Amino acid sequence: MRNLILVLGDQLDANSAAFNDFDSDQDAVWMAEVEEEATHVWCHKQRLVFFFSAMRHFRDELRQKDIEVFYHELSHDRRRDSGNSFAEILNQDINRHRPRQLVVVLPGDYRVKHQLQQVASDANLILDVRPDDHFYCAPDEFEQFAKGRKRLVLETFYRQMRKKHDILMDGNKPVGGQWNFDEDNRDAFGKQGPGKITGPHSFRPDELTQSVMDMVRQRYPQHPGCLDKFDLPVTRRQAQAMLRDFIKRSLSDFGQYEDALWTDEPFLYHSRLSAPLNVKLLDPRDCVDKAVQAFEDGDAPINSVEGFVRQILGWREFVRGVYWKFMPGYGEQNEFGHDRPLPRFFWDGDTDMRCVHQSMQHVLDFGYAHHIHRLMILGNLALMLGVDPQAFHQWHMAMYSDAVDWVSLPNALGMSQHAEGGIVGTKPYVSTGNYINRMSNFCGSCPYNYQAATGKDACPFTTLYWDFLDRHHEQLKQNHRMAMQLKNLDRKRKSGDIEAIRKQAHQTKSRLLAGAKPHADLIRS
């Protein structure tokens, strides 16, 4: 064998650089479902089914092209497996097939890249790590962007990407006369609600997916989440159908209401394309091109299209650049010294806080929640409680079907928990219950008063917000974007209200963290 092509679970792209110069007479593909990858975080059942089913479908598509694939399936019975880690399984196949070289596209996880390099070194083999052409911006290009800059600003990077790739450009100027329409994309629904929501497109599990579901139920019965509502695309064809459906039915309303929340509506006008994108069943260029075409055809307004493009061409590329620039030390940072465990309801959704219960129900049912649920409810609460940011990141990796380390770590530890001091987010994203009330209808049916920081019906978000600002005042006063919030805090300090808030916060944290287990006790089933 000449080349053994390693295809990881987030690299399901037959057009990737791994297949450049592929010769079916000399080369073969290696894929593996690995116990370590399923259990090093306490993975949601839907996440496991999504990855394993998509991998098995991709394997079958390669075999239909007469490509030899060495594939390791996890069995229903753990005792039948021959190895638990990438290293163990890959070593066995290296010894069996004796390739002259290993080939892999740059993994989406620094830890996995290091493992593969170690295996190749131990076997005295070359590991050809090829660039991931799925992305618009390579790590080296991002390094050049970052060179000499004191701060990395998304907007600056995004504008460069727009110009370079000629996306939504009118010569040297942005289409619509401005680069960013974020101010037009923050509407709530009001009392009338969103009305009937028809998307996103869903898919009934086929026979292969059903077999994966049976395996996951039997092998990982204690893992969080349920499989009753699993409906994600697991093939490229299905993913492209989901994209077309989003462009047709939801894109036009996406921008205006992308920050809005509503009871029992997990998706609203969001695409749910992040999961197929992040395992490479979709090409980001297809997503961007189809959205831009919808604008040019008059089928979607500029604020929706620009907002969607910014998520893919801007934010998605930006956080990947940050990941590879600052790893491996990035994941060890803890700006506020937080060390508390996650509350139990982050795993089972059992809480009387209406907003948190709603957010967690979406996560448990679908392995998904849109960005405001993630950032301004679940992430906001974890930050103000003082949860260990690494534990929060591992939870994020475990519970979301679209989570891969390169995207999860900057979003969870960075943007959400501000643990790296502001590399991806210029300020901590914390708020009182007032923000949640403004963007949703949750507070009207909640036992807590979103305006109250103290008292029997005090909203935990409002109490913990002032407590967070108070505890970290010295660090936060260095951030000019926190000036207004700290002036409001100073008024509460001068009036003496802060003493009652501190007492309430202590009681609130004790109650919310009661029964919480250390993270190490949860990451293995």
mmCIF file of all heavy atoms in Angstrom, residues 418-445:
data_model
loop_
_atom_site.group_PDB
_atom_site.id
_atom_site.type_symbol
_atom_site.label_atom_id
_atom_site.label_comp_id
_atom_site.label_asym_id
_atom_site.label_seq_id
_atom_site.Cartn_x
_atom_site.Cartn_y
_atom_site.Cartn_z
ATOM 1 N N HIS A 418 -15.575 34.127 28.277
ATOM 2 C CA HIS A 418 -14.584 35.213 28.345
ATOM 3 C C HIS A 418 -13.348 34.779 29.134
ATOM 4 O O HIS A 418 -12.698 35.578 29.818
ATOM 5 C CB HIS A 418 -15.197 36.465 28.971
ATOM 6 C CG HIS A 418 -14.495 37.736 28.619
ATOM 7 N ND1 HIS A 418 -14.589 38.321 27.377
ATOM 8 C CD2 HIS A 418 -13.690 38.555 29.349
ATOM 9 C CE1 HIS A 418 -13.871 39.428 27.351
ATOM 10 N NE2 HIS A 418 -13.313 39.593 28.528
ATOM 11 N N ALA A 419 -13.023 33.500 29.029
ATOM 12 C CA ALA A 419 -11.935 32.968 29.853
ATOM 13 C C ALA A 419 -10.562 33.336 29.321
ATOM 14 O O ALA A 419 -9.565 33.212 30.051
ATOM 15 C CB ALA A 419 -12.066 31.444 29.953
ATOM 16 N N GLU A 420 -10.494 33.783 28.043
ATOM 17 C CA GLU A 420 -9.191 34.152 27.481
ATOM 18 C C GLU A 420 -9.012 35.658 27.469
ATOM 19 O O GLU A 420 -8.130 36.182 26.810
ATOM 20 C CB GLU A 420 -8.991 33.537 26.086
ATOM 21 C CG GLU A 420 -10.244 33.255 25.286
ATOM 22 C CD GLU A 420 -10.832 34.483 24.624
ATOM 23 O OE1 GLU A 420 -11.059 35.493 25.316
ATOM 24 O OE2 GLU A 420 -11.076 34.412 23.416
ATOM 25 N N GLY A 421 -9.881 36.374 28.184
ATOM 26 C CA GLY A 421 -9.677 37.787 28.408
ATOM 27 C C GLY A 421 -10.058 38.692 27.265
ATOM 28 O O GLY A 421 -9.754 39.893 27.306
ATOM 29 N N GLY A 422 -10.690 38.151 26.214
ATOM 30 C CA GLY A 422 -11.187 39.037 25.175
ATOM 31 C C GLY A 422 -10.563 38.872 23.818
ATOM 32 O O GLY A 422 -10.543 39.821 23.032
ATOM 33 N N ILE A 423 -10.052 37.701 23.482
ATOM 34 C CA ILE A 423 -9.486 37.491 22.151
ATOM 35 C C ILE A 423 -10.594 37.464 21.102
ATOM 36 O O ILE A 423 -10.487 38.080 20.043
ATOM 37 C CB ILE A 423 -8.663 36.183 22.100
ATOM 38 C CG1 ILE A 423 -7.433 36.311 23.004
ATOM 39 C CG2 ILE A 423 -8.237 35.861 20.670
ATOM 40 C CD1 ILE A 423 -6.628 35.038 23.133
ATOM 41 N N VAL A 424 -11.687 36.748 21.373
ATOM 42 C CA VAL A 424 -12.776 36.679 20.395
ATOM 43 C C VAL A 424 -13.961 37.563 20.766
ATOM 44 O O VAL A 424 -14.759 37.920 19.899
ATOM 45 C CB VAL A 424 -13.269 35.225 20.175
ATOM 46 C CG1 VAL A 424 -12.163 34.359 19.637
ATOM 47 C CG2 VAL A 424 -13.846 34.644 21.448
ATOM 48 N N GLY A 425 -14.126 37.892 22.014
ATOM 49 C CA GLY A 425 -15.210 38.765 22.443
ATOM 50 C C GLY A 425 -14.651 39.946 23.205
ATOM 51 O O GLY A 425 -13.842 39.777 24.115
ATOM 52 N N THR A 426 -15.092 41.140 22.877
ATOM 53 C CA THR A 426 -14.481 42.328 23.468
ATOM 54 C C THR A 426 -14.960 42.611 24.885
ATOM 55 O O THR A 426 -14.433 43.481 25.558
ATOM 56 C CB THR A 426 -14.741 43.568 22.586
ATOM 57 O OG1 THR A 426 -16.154 43.691 22.373
ATOM 58 C CG2 THR A 426 -14.040 43.418 21.251
ATOM 59 N N LYS A 427 -15.998 41.876 25.337
ATOM 60 C CA LYS A 427 -16.478 42.052 26.710
ATOM 61 C C LYS A 427 -17.171 40.768 27.140
ATOM 62 O O LYS A 427 -17.563 39.951 26.285
ATOM 63 C CB LYS A 427 -17.470 43.214 26.800
ATOM 64 C CG LYS A 427 -18.778 42.955 26.068
ATOM 65 C CD LYS A 427 -19.796 44.058 26.325
ATOM 66 C CE LYS A 427 -21.124 43.731 25.648
ATOM 67 N NZ LYS A 427 -22.153 44.743 25.959
ATOM 68 N N PRO A 428 -17.354 40.552 28.444
ATOM 69 C CA PRO A 428 -18.138 39.404 28.888
ATOM 70 C C PRO A 428 -19.603 39.577 28.488
ATOM 71 O O PRO A 428 -20.172 40.660 28.658
ATOM 72 C CB PRO A 428 -17.987 39.434 30.414
ATOM 73 C CG PRO A 428 -16.807 40.294 30.678
ATOM 74 C CD PRO A 428 -16.755 41.293 29.573
ATOM 75 N N TYR A 429 -20.202 38.520 27.963
ATOM 76 C CA TYR A 429 -21.606 38.577 27.584
ATOM 77 C C TYR A 429 -22.465 38.139 28.758
ATOM 78 O O TYR A 429 -22.821 36.970 28.904
ATOM 79 C CB TYR A 429 -21.864 37.735 26.325
ATOM 80 C CG TYR A 429 -21.473 38.496 25.084
ATOM 81 C CD1 TYR A 429 -20.152 38.480 24.625
ATOM 82 C CD2 TYR A 429 -22.391 39.287 24.417
ATOM 83 C CE1 TYR A 429 -19.779 39.211 23.508
ATOM 84 C CE2 TYR A 429 -22.033 40.021 23.293
ATOM 85 C CZ TYR A 429 -20.733 39.982 22.839
ATOM 86 O OH TYR A 429 -20.359 40.724 21.741
ATOM 87 N N VAL A 430 -22.766 39.117 29.619
ATOM 88 C CA VAL A 430 -23.619 38.891 30.783
ATOM 89 C C VAL A 430 -24.779 39.871 30.717
ATOM 90 O O VAL A 430 -24.656 40.971 30.175
ATOM 91 C CB VAL A 430 -22.835 39.072 32.106
ATOM 92 C CG1 VAL A 430 -21.816 37.964 32.278
ATOM 93 C CG2 VAL A 430 -22.157 40.439 32.174
ATOM 94 N N SER A 431 -25.901 39.456 31.268
ATOM 95 C CA SER A 431 -27.062 40.342 31.277
ATOM 96 C C SER A 431 -27.997 39.947 32.407
ATOM 97 O O SER A 431 -27.945 38.830 32.929
ATOM 98 C CB SER A 431 -27.822 40.257 29.953
ATOM 99 O OG SER A 431 -28.575 39.058 29.880
ATOM 100 N N THR A 432 -28.871 40.867 32.774
ATOM 101 C CA THR A 432 -29.947 40.577 33.719
ATOM 102 C C THR A 432 -31.075 39.853 32.989
ATOM 103 O O THR A 432 -31.022 39.647 31.768
ATOM 104 C CB THR A 432 -30.505 41.868 34.325
ATOM 105 O OG1 THR A 432 -31.155 42.609 33.278
ATOM 106 C CG2 THR A 432 -29.403 42.721 34.944
ATOM 107 N N GLY A 433 -32.116 39.509 33.737
ATOM 108 C CA GLY A 433 -33.288 38.908 33.124
ATOM 109 C C GLY A 433 -34.012 39.842 32.188
ATOM 110 O O GLY A 433 -34.847 39.395 31.379
ATOM 111 N N ASN A 434 -33.715 41.130 32.241
ATOM 112 C CA ASN A 434 -34.398 42.090 31.377
ATOM 113 C C ASN A 434 -34.158 41.794 29.904
ATOM 114 O O ASN A 434 -35.071 41.925 29.082
ATOM 115 C CB ASN A 434 -33.943 43.510 31.716
ATOM 116 C CG ASN A 434 -34.736 44.557 30.943
ATOM 117 O OD1 ASN A 434 -35.949 44.646 31.054
ATOM 118 N ND2 ASN A 434 -34.027 45.345 30.134
ATOM 119 N N TYR A 435 -32.932 41.398 29.556
ATOM 120 C CA TYR A 435 -32.632 41.068 28.154
ATOM 121 C C TYR A 435 -33.476 39.876 27.703
ATOM 122 O O TYR A 435 -34.041 39.872 26.604
ATOM 123 C CB TYR A 435 -31.145 40.760 27.979
ATOM 124 C CG TYR A 435 -30.814 40.282 26.584
ATOM 125 C CD1 TYR A 435 -30.605 41.187 25.548
ATOM 126 C CD2 TYR A 435 -30.758 38.919 26.286
ATOM 127 C CE1 TYR A 435 -30.326 40.749 24.263
ATOM 128 C CE2 TYR A 435 -30.488 38.468 25.005
ATOM 129 C CZ TYR A 435 -30.273 39.391 23.995
ATOM 130 O OH TYR A 435 -30.019 38.952 22.715
ATOM 131 N N ILE A 436 -33.566 38.864 28.542
ATOM 132 C CA ILE A 436 -34.335 37.669 28.192
ATOM 133 C C ILE A 436 -35.812 38.020 28.025
ATOM 134 O O ILE A 436 -36.482 37.539 27.102
ATOM 135 C CB ILE A 436 -34.126 36.577 29.254
ATOM 136 C CG1 ILE A 436 -32.648 36.174 29.309
ATOM 137 C CG2 ILE A 436 -34.989 35.355 28.970
ATOM 138 C CD1 ILE A 436 -32.271 35.324 30.496
ATOM 139 N N ASN A 437 -36.315 38.882 28.895
ATOM 140 C CA ASN A 437 -37.706 39.308 28.780
ATOM 141 C C ASN A 437 -37.956 40.073 27.486
ATOM 142 O O ASN A 437 -38.996 39.920 26.838
ATOM 143 C CB ASN A 437 -38.081 40.187 29.975
ATOM 144 C CG ASN A 437 -39.514 40.657 29.918
ATOM 145 O OD1 ASN A 437 -40.443 39.864 30.002
ATOM 146 N ND2 ASN A 437 -39.701 41.956 29.757
ATOM 147 N N ARG A 438 -36.988 40.890 27.097
ATOM 148 C CA ARG A 438 -37.148 41.693 25.887
ATOM 149 C C ARG A 438 -37.151 40.822 24.629
ATOM 150 O O ARG A 438 -37.869 41.118 23.659
ATOM 151 C CB ARG A 438 -36.027 42.724 25.803
ATOM 152 C CG ARG A 438 -36.189 43.701 24.642
ATOM 153 C CD ARG A 438 -35.245 44.877 24.752
ATOM 154 N NE ARG A 438 -33.857 44.510 24.470
ATOM 155 C CZ ARG A 438 -32.888 44.470 25.367
ATOM 156 N NH1 ARG A 438 -33.144 44.756 26.638
ATOM 157 N NH2 ARG A 438 -31.663 44.150 25.031
ATOM 158 N N MET A 439 -36.371 39.742 24.630
ATOM 159 C CA MET A 439 -36.199 38.942 23.420
ATOM 160 C C MET A 439 -37.097 37.713 23.358
ATOM 161 O O MET A 439 -37.072 36.985 22.370
ATOM 162 C CB MET A 439 -34.731 38.501 23.299
ATOM 163 C CG MET A 439 -33.742 39.636 23.178
ATOM 164 S SD MET A 439 -34.129 40.813 21.845
ATOM 165 C CE MET A 439 -34.052 39.742 20.407
ATOM 166 N N SER A 440 -37.878 37.450 24.407
ATOM 167 C CA SER A 440 -38.645 36.211 24.455
ATOM 168 C C SER A 440 -39.981 36.422 25.158
ATOM 169 O O SER A 440 -40.277 37.509 25.660
ATOM 170 C CB SER A 440 -37.851 35.136 25.206
ATOM 171 O OG SER A 440 -37.910 35.365 26.611
ATOM 172 N N ASN A 441 -40.755 35.348 25.246
ATOM 173 C CA ASN A 441 -41.973 35.337 26.059
ATOM 174 C C ASN A 441 -41.821 34.423 27.271
ATOM 175 O O ASN A 441 -42.809 34.020 27.873
ATOM 176 C CB ASN A 441 -43.168 34.878 25.216
ATOM 177 C CG ASN A 441 -43.072 33.409 24.801
ATOM 178 O OD1 ASN A 441 -41.972 32.868 24.675
ATOM 179 N ND2 ASN A 441 -44.203 32.776 24.582
ATOM 180 N N PHE A 442 -40.590 34.095 27.637
ATOM 181 C CA PHE A 442 -40.348 33.138 28.717
ATOM 182 C C PHE A 442 -40.732 33.694 30.089
ATOM 183 O O PHE A 442 -41.244 32.976 30.943
ATOM 184 C CB PHE A 442 -38.878 32.714 28.754
ATOM 185 C CG PHE A 442 -38.381 32.046 27.501
ATOM 186 C CD1 PHE A 442 -37.034 32.115 27.151
ATOM 187 C CD2 PHE A 442 -39.242 31.342 26.669
ATOM 188 C CE1 PHE A 442 -36.564 31.488 26.018
ATOM 189 C CE2 PHE A 442 -38.784 30.723 25.515
ATOM 190 C CZ PHE A 442 -37.430 30.792 25.190
ATOM 191 N N CYS A 443 -40.448 34.962 30.310
ATOM 192 C CA CYS A 443 -40.551 35.509 31.664
ATOM 193 C C CYS A 443 -41.993 35.592 32.159
ATOM 194 O O CYS A 443 -42.236 35.540 33.374
ATOM 195 C CB CYS A 443 -39.896 36.887 31.725
ATOM 196 S SG CYS A 443 -38.122 36.845 31.335
ATOM 197 N N GLY A 444 -42.954 35.685 31.260
ATOM 198 C CA GLY A 444 -44.346 35.793 31.677
ATOM 199 C C GLY A 444 -44.867 34.562 32.382
ATOM 200 O O GLY A 444 -45.794 34.649 33.200
ATOM 201 N N SER A 445 -44.280 33.396 32.105
ATOM 202 C CA SER A 445 -44.721 32.156 32.740
ATOM 203 C C SER A 445 -43.680 31.611 33.712
ATOM 204 O O SER A 445 -43.711 30.441 34.069
ATOM 205 C CB SER A 445 -45.025 31.102 31.666
ATOM 206 O OG SER A 445 -43.888 30.871 30.846
#
